[in-house]
Amino acid sequence: MSDGNHETYTPAAIEEKWQRLWEERGTNTYGDEALAAADRPFYNLMMFPYPSAEGLHVGNIYAFTGADVYGRFRRLQGDAVFEPIGFDAFGIHSENYALKVGTHPMELIPKNIANFTRQLRRTGAMYDWNHTVDTTDPRYYRWTQWLFLQLYKAGLAEKREAPVNWCPGCHTVLANEQVIAGECERCGTAVEQRYLSQWFFRITDYAQRLLDDLSWIDWSETTKKAQENWIGRSEGAELRFPIARRRVAEDRHEPARLHAEPPVIRVFTTRPDTVFGATFMVLAPEHPLVDALTSDDQRAAVEAYRARIATMDVVARKKTDKEKTGVFTGGYCINPATGEEIPVWIADYVLMEYGTGAIMAVPGHDDRDFEFATKFALPIRRVVAEAADPEAMPGAPGAREDGTPAVSEAEALARSAAEPLTEAYTGPGVLVNSDRFNGMRWDEAKRAITDWLAERGLAEPRVNYRLHDWCISRQRYWGPPIPILYCDRCGTVPVPEADLPVVLPYVEDYKPDESGVSPLARVEEWYRVPCPECGGEARRETDVSDTFLDSAWYFLRYPSAGRDDVAFDRALTKKWLPVDMYIGGEEHAVLHLLYSRFITMVLHDLGHIDFEEPYVRFRKHGLIIKDGAKMSKSRGNVVVPDEYIERFGADAFRTYLMFLGPYQEGGDFRDQGLQGPYGFLSRLWDCVVPVAMLGDAPIEGALEQKLHATIRKVTEDLAELRYNTAIAAMMEYLNAVREGGRRANRSEVEPLIVLVAPFAPHIAEELWQRLGHERSIFERPTEGEAAARPAGWRSVAGGNWPVFDPEKATVDVVEFVVQVNGKVRARIPVERGIREDEARAAALADENVRRFVNGNQVRKVIFVPDRLINLVVA
RNA sequence: GCGAAAGUGGCGGAAUCGGUAGACGCGCGAGACUUAGGAUCUCGUGGGCACGCCCGUGGGGGUUCGAGUCCCCCCUUUCGCACCA
């Protein structure tokens, strides 16, 4: 629709131009000095991508654009925003893909990174390309290895034999967090349990701190909750059940060993109040005491059961709803509360990884124990009686003044002590069948019984966590080698820091196998090295570290990227960290986000940094679906961003992504939806270009009011990442400017261009330039520029972002609602600030209102200033 | 089973504090312009009819002058954890 005079909006040309100019002028990048000298630093971080061969997908762009919009918003407000990007390129994901296509990862990854870089530039985000990281670069992973050594020296990294999750598909060990419902997060293969010697980070030492800090960090609530659940703190007690030696010793083959082992079985329980009801004990099949407890006549059955469990895959074993299985060991232990001998069983519903790997079974008050006891005909004893009503409990509200329950104790006890249980009772109540503790509230009994047993050394209060230590060994090729040497004479020797990096060698055949060792173990010339301590023969650790270690500290590296003398510079780190705003996916709620918090705490404790939480503020973004369904290759509904960007431009694509739903909840991508934002930008263009056609009149009246209301709305919404409603407000304002096809004035559109800039930076730059500005809209304006603004235009200090005038942001005439008996009967325009009596008179002047009042007496009037009046009639 | 979030037009989604339900956009309808239209512009667009109202935010109760919003019960969906003692 070009009419010679009119220039059409051509996003491709404009965007190409500005991306080139940004690069040439260094608009978005910092030199080393500038980075060190920046005032009002704001570290705007987004989760760096894994550079897949498929290229950037729409989910990446959605995440990054939301973060970039925020960064640009802060920058327009005068902050010195540091917005880096990098590549998380090590790991099983990359390696598996390389294997699939038959290209070595050392060739594949640089290609992918080049492709990603091209695509990322095309999205128009303001990345600082002077400060990027690539985790596979030896200049980066040198410091990943350094980090490992710091943990090693601090005693936080240790090698130990442990049951680990082995993925038979990926041929490697996985961290607990990488096992989803018993399956490998990457390939979906059922995970097996193996006993291997692995490197662990003692993250459990930090469990309480990781939990405590959640109370003050400013994060999305759901993310905090996920971490809280993952850490899984439970309070209770460790109880000790002495082994009934008499019975065990009779059957023992090696009686001498008996004395070497502790003559007790330790259990963790959150219900020490129910110990009088512990009628048997269950150990995990792998429990080390099983052998000692097993009697000769039960040995065959026990061995068979253990063998069956050992070969069972983890998915099958962890199924909650399968029928309970188990076998009696023939051994007994003594209930420390009752003194009774109780039988010891093994069953796979007890997990070796949690607590002590043994439980006291209280079938009366635990669903699982009840099921087990029922199946194997074990005694079930009630020790907690449900009070007639909660008020009846001693000390409860409604209890008598002397603290005794409203229902008599005797009554409650008598009623239910003898009553048989048809299912486990897990609720609150009063103790029964518990000797001296009868009649005590269950919650008080927890402490009382623990104390009572503790006097005899049979219990102590205990806090347990679900969190496990972080297994970082991977028997794979594509990762940083763990910087450890094994010497026959000196044992485990850390690689001296001066010898870092331990470079990952080029290995032609890097395919993993069943052996349980890394492909690097096949490269003798690499792993055979002299011991740095004795000079004798040593052997390198051949496992590489988990990818999540690479990403656990990358945010510390960005400002110091390119520095070869330190992992992170002290002064730069002090200036820029912790991260001011971190935006990323919820899928990392318990992986990356927990690990990087842990690593940061460790570095803090070791004196390397002066903060212990890496991200002051974290916001999760939502997920994009396509036409109401998850995107997947098999469904064939994957959005390829390049095509859309080519057709509509990055500006429209970005704006659409931010418009299609609340950013923190995600939304539904529909091809036709792009028309809206594209049309919006086109109309904005048509309003401003050619600039010579713009009017010079100052903004005034209702439009001025609307502008200020829009500035307020957009400013507030952007601060809270409510991008969709901010865009809607801008659309509304532009519609008002164009009302009736009138010619726009410069004073009406210039502020709008700044508001649009975070979403559509290219068109904003272009229009800004055409309006006569020489410098980027994102640069801090000079005094001259600030002074040359149209009348009534005010901006925040140091930026072009407009400031609204609260006086002007409110309307003079409001549409006032008149209700009769709560139903809307009229809408009348009134002056803002109208008094109740005036409003009432105006309401009653309305014909329709009068019709409904119908001469009846007005019994009550509800008046909400500037909103409504409600007349209540008989 | 536990934890978290959410159910609003044909669709994506709006709606600070309990105060005009459906902003904005898509789609659709009518019209204008046009050789043409998957372009652009204008107007309309929750349902119903007696054209003034009635009905409408998953279902059922309740509180209130007034409920999408608060309370109780139920249903559905999505996500996370899942034999965690």
Side-chain angles (χ1 to χ4, degrees):
Chain A
M1 68 133 224
S2 185
D3 57 17
N5 212 346
H6 206 99
E7 192 183 335
T8 318
Y9 171 47
T10 51
I14 294 165
E15 292 175 6
E16 192 276 325
K17 169 186 165 183
W18 283 100
Q19 284 167 17
R20 198 188 66 240
L21 284 177
W22 289 334
E23 199 176 335
E24 284 171 13
R25 298 171 175 178
T27 309
N28 303 323
T29 52
Y30 286 94
D32 288 344
E33 282 150 45
L35 197 66
D39 66 323
R40 292 173 63 182
F42 188 92
Y43 192 164
N44 190 50
L45 184 69
M46 55 201 85
M47 288 182 179
F48 66 163
Y50 143 71
S52 71
E54 290 87 6
L56 210 53
H57 60 80
V58 70
N60 295 134
I61 299 189
Y62 184 68
F64 298 154
T65 300
D68 184 59
V69 167
Y70 191 78
R72 287 186 179 276
F73 169 59
R74 294 300 298 235
R75 186 163 173 192
L76 283 161
Q77 290 185 308
D79 286 335
V81 176
F82 177 50
E83 185 174 299
I85 193 82
F87 302 99
D88 189 18
F90 262 141
I92 294 175
H93 203 155
S94 307
E95 190 182 313
N96 284 353
Y97 186 84
L99 282 165
K100 196 173 115 195
V101 298
T103 312
H104 197 280
M106 284 189 182
E107 290 163 38
L108 188 69
I109 292 299
K111 273 190 220 162
N112 291 355
I113 288 179
N115 187 40
F116 258 64
T117 304
R118 179 189 60 78
Q119 287 183 302
L120 285 167
R121 284 180 193 273
R122 188 65 190 85
T123 65
M126 53 169 204
Y127 301 124
D128 183 347
W129 291 105
N130 285 353
H131 294 89
T132 80
V133 303
D134 162 8
T135 55
T136 67
D137 186 333
R139 285 173 301 175
Y140 180 85
Y141 70 70
R142 166 186 183 175
W143 302 111
T144 307
Q145 293 170 334
W146 172 86
L147 187 62
F148 177 94
L149 294 177
Q150 305 316 303
L151 273 95
Y152 179 79
K153 283 192 286 188
L156 291 166
E158 59 187 28
K159 196 172 198 190
R160 57 173 191 252
E161 177 106 353
V164 290
N165 305 298
W166 174 263
C167 173
C170 296
H171 297 302
T172 189
V173 158
L174 301 174
N176 250 315
E177 289 83 344
Q178 289 163 321
V179 180
I180 310 298
E183 292 175 357
C184 172
E185 174 194 51
R186 287 267 171 257
C187 66
T189 310
V191 170
E192 294 171 356
Q193 200 164 61
R194 280 197 180 187
Y195 281 81
L196 292 173
S197 185
Q198 308 282 335
W199 281 98
F200 286 88
F201 282 171
R202 299 175 55 102
I203 191 172
T204 50
D205 289 3
Y206 284 73
Q208 191 59 49
R209 261 167 88 189
L210 288 166
L211 190 62
D212 289 345
D213 281 3
L214 291 176
S215 66
W216 62 265
I217 54 179
D218 177 13
W219 282 27
S220 294
E221 279 307 313
T222 51
T223 311
K224 290 209 267 189
K225 194 80 202 167
Q227 290 217 347
E228 188 186 319
N229 289 343
W230 189 264
I231 294 167
R233 177 191 156 100
S234 26
E235 262 178 69
E238 182 181 299
L239 305 186
R240 289 169 200 146
F241 284 58
I243 291 172
R245 286 183 182 218
R246 181 177 48 76
R247 304 266 193 138
V248 177
E250 285 169 12
D251 301 319
R252 288 201 52 82
H253 301 287
E254 301 169 71
R257 267 192 64 203
L258 184 64
H259 302 283
E261 281 159 3
V264 296
I265 302 175
R266 302 178 307 121
V267 304
F268 171 73
T269 179
T270 54
R271 296 294 304 274
D273 52 313
T274 62
V275 65
F276 284 87
T279 52
F280 59 102
M281 166 157 296
V282 188
L283 306 185
E286 306 89 343
H287 196 284
L289 288 176
V290 171
D291 238 9
L293 280 154
T294 303
S295 64
D296 277 345
D297 53 332
Q298 286 298 98
R299 189 160 301 274
V302 166
E303 290 308 323
Y305 185 75
R306 295 179 90 183
R308 208 176 95 217
I309 298 304
T311 54
M312 191 185 270
D313 68 58
V314 175
V315 196
R317 178 166 174 185
K318 291 217 165 165
K319 262 213 162 72
T320 320
D321 49 356
K322 76 172 201 288
E323 205 183 323
K324 298 257 179 302
T325 61
V327 64
F328 177 45
T329 61
Y332 291 82
C333 64
I334 296 163
N335 181 321
T338 63
E340 292 169 315
E341 283 191 2
I342 58 173
V344 180
W345 287 61
I346 59 173
D348 70 341
Y349 82 91
V350 175
L351 308 173
M352 195 60 221
E353 316 86 88
Y354 185 77
T356 60
I359 61 154
M360 63 174 202
V362 184
H365 304 285
D366 181 280
D367 292 320
R368 298 152 301 179
D369 297 343
F370 185 89
E371 191 191 332
F372 194 82
T374 307
K375 179 167 175 187
F376 295 104
L378 291 157
I380 297 168
R381 183 182 303 159
R382 180 194 279 277
V383 290
V384 179
E386 187 176 1
D389 70 283
E391 306 287 290
M393 288 198 290
R400 294 202 203 101
E401 276 185 18
D402 62 2
T404 57
V407 174
S408 84
E409 206 172 287
E411 196 182 323
L413 295 181
R415 210 189 75 247
S416 52
E419 193 181 317
L421 287 150
T422 51
E423 59 179 353
Y425 175 66
T426 55
V430 175
L431 263 61
V432 292
N433 297 325
S434 297
D435 196 39
R436 73 187 71 181
F437 298 99
N438 285 342
M440 191 180 272
R441 282 173 58 126
W442 95 112
D443 45 359
E444 286 167 6
K446 285 183 185 190
R447 201 183 50 243
I449 291 184
T450 305
D451 290 348
W452 173 63
L453 291 174
E455 282 168 25
R456 291 185 285 145
L458 293 171
E460 60 190 51
R462 174 84 172 266
V463 173
N464 214 18
Y465 300 92
R466 213 191 75 116
L467 184 70
H468 290 62
D469 277 336
W470 175 15
C471 173
I472 61 132
S473 296
R474 294 293 179 276
Q475 293 70 41
R476 296 288 297 233
Y477 169 68
W478 194 234
I482 293 172
I484 288 289
L485 301 166
Y486 304 104
C487 168
D488 287 341
R489 209 175 319 169
C490 314
T492 301
V493 181
V495 172
E497 287 181 20
D499 292 353
L500 297 180
V502 178
V503 176
L504 179 71
Y506 181 91
V507 177
E508 192 62 50
D509 174 23
Y510 59 91
K511 202 174 170 186
D513 59 30
E514 260 301 308
S515 62
V517 293
S518 160
L520 290 174
R522 304 194 289 255
V523 190
E524 200 180 338
E525 63 275 22
W526 179 75
Y527 71 67
R528 288 177 73 112
V529 284
C531 171
E533 282 181 12
C534 70
E537 223 170 67
R539 185 189 160 95
R540 287 193 189 281
E541 166 66 61
T542 54
D543 284 351
V544 299
S545 58
D546 183 7
T547 327
F548 280 103
L549 183 57
D550 305 330
S551 58
W553 74 282
Y554 77 111
F555 54 93
L556 283 164
R557 181 64 180 167
Y558 275 136
S560 308
R563 287 281 293 272
D564 287 331
D565 53 334
V566 284
F568 41 88
D569 178 83
R570 240 171 216 279
L572 280 174
T573 303
K574 199 170 178 61
K575 184 173 210 51
W576 289 98
L577 282 114
V579 170
D580 295 287
M581 175 62 129
Y582 195 23
I583 290 179
E586 174 100 283
E587 69 273 18
H588 289 115
V590 290
L591 292 160
H592 161 64
L593 285 174
L594 193 65
Y595 294 148
S596 49
R597 291 183 60 215
F598 162 64
I599 291 294
T600 303
M601 277 181 194
V602 171
L603 288 172
H604 168 265
D605 292 355
L606 298 180
H608 293 286
I609 50 181
D610 56 10
F611 52 92
E612 67 169 34
E613 283 293 336
Y615 321 116
V616 171
R617 218 171 161 218
F618 169 78
R619 291 292 178 274
K620 59 143 193 181
H621 62 252
L623 292 179
I624 293 285
I625 57 173
K626 176 79 199 295
D627 299 323
K630 247 184 203 164
M631 270 182 254
S632 70
K633 269 188 238 167
S634 56
R635 219 182 249 111
N637 64 345
V638 175
V639 174
V640 181
D642 300 42
E643 297 165 12
Y644 294 95
I645 291 176
E646 201 177 318
R647 230 173 104 207
F648 298 96
D651 282 340
F653 192 65
R654 288 165 57 104
T655 308
Y656 174 57
L657 287 176
M658 297 301 100
F659 181 62
L660 55 69
Y663 183 62
Q664 295 185 72
E665 285 161 43
D668 194 359
F669 189 100
R670 279 159 202 261
D671 289 353
Q672 283 184 316
L674 258 158
Q675 288 299 340
Y678 180 78
F680 167 64
L681 295 179
S682 301
R683 285 190 283 276
L684 175 63
W685 177 272
D686 291 342
C687 249
V688 180
V689 177
V691 171
M693 298 281 287
L694 277 176
D696 287 325
I699 189 165
E700 57 182 19
L703 200 56
E704 183 179 29
Q705 177 272 313
K706 185 107 185 149
L707 172 66
H708 284 271
T710 304
I711 294 170
R712 174 166 68 187
K713 171 96 179 129
V714 173
T715 307
E716 288 171 0
D717 281 357
L718 258 59
E720 296 301 323
L721 276 53
R722 292 190 298 254
Y723 299 145
N724 55 334
T725 48
I727 293 168
M730 291 188 283
M731 287 172 164
E732 227 177 307
Y733 174 69
L734 184 63
N735 289 344
V737 169
R738 291 162 24 90
E739 179 93 54
R742 65 184 276 282
R743 193 180 69 162
N745 287 300
R746 179 188 176 120
S747 56
E748 295 156 7
V749 293
E750 193 161 351
L752 177 61
I753 292 168
V754 186
L755 299 183
V756 166
F759 299 95
H762 311 85
I763 191 175
E765 288 274 33
E766 180 67 22
L767 296 176
W768 189 250
Q769 186 186 52
R770 286 176 185 239
L771 286 172
H773 300 280
E774 284 176 14
R775 303 167 70 245
S776 165
I777 193 171
F778 297 101
E779 300 278 13
R780 290 177 176 166
T782 61
E783 278 176 35
E785 282 171 328
R789 290 207 176 99
W793 167 290
R794 288 196 304 125
S795 279
V796 294
N800 283 317
W801 194 260
V803 175
F804 70 90
D805 179 337
E807 266 306 301
K808 289 176 179 159
T810 32
V811 289
D812 303 327
V813 177
V814 293
E815 197 174 63
F816 197 75
V817 169
V818 182
Q819 295 182 336
V820 178
N821 285 343
K823 297 211 174 222
V824 180
R825 297 303 175 190
R827 286 159 202 190
I828 50 180
V830 303
E831 291 271 304
R832 186 156 59 93
I834 190 174
R835 292 195 317 269
E836 179 173 343
D837 55 325
E838 296 167 330
R840 182 174 176 163
L844 286 168
D846 185 274
E847 196 186 327
N848 203 40
V849 172
R850 271 216 300 272
R851 204 158 63 79
F852 279 91
V853 172
N854 196 22
N856 287 311
Q857 195 202 347
V858 176
R859 293 156 51 103
K860 191 173 176 186
V861 176
I862 312 293
F863 175 73
V864 182
D866 294 332
R867 278 226 134 111
L868 65 70
I869 189 163
N870 185 11
L871 308 174
V872 185
V873 301

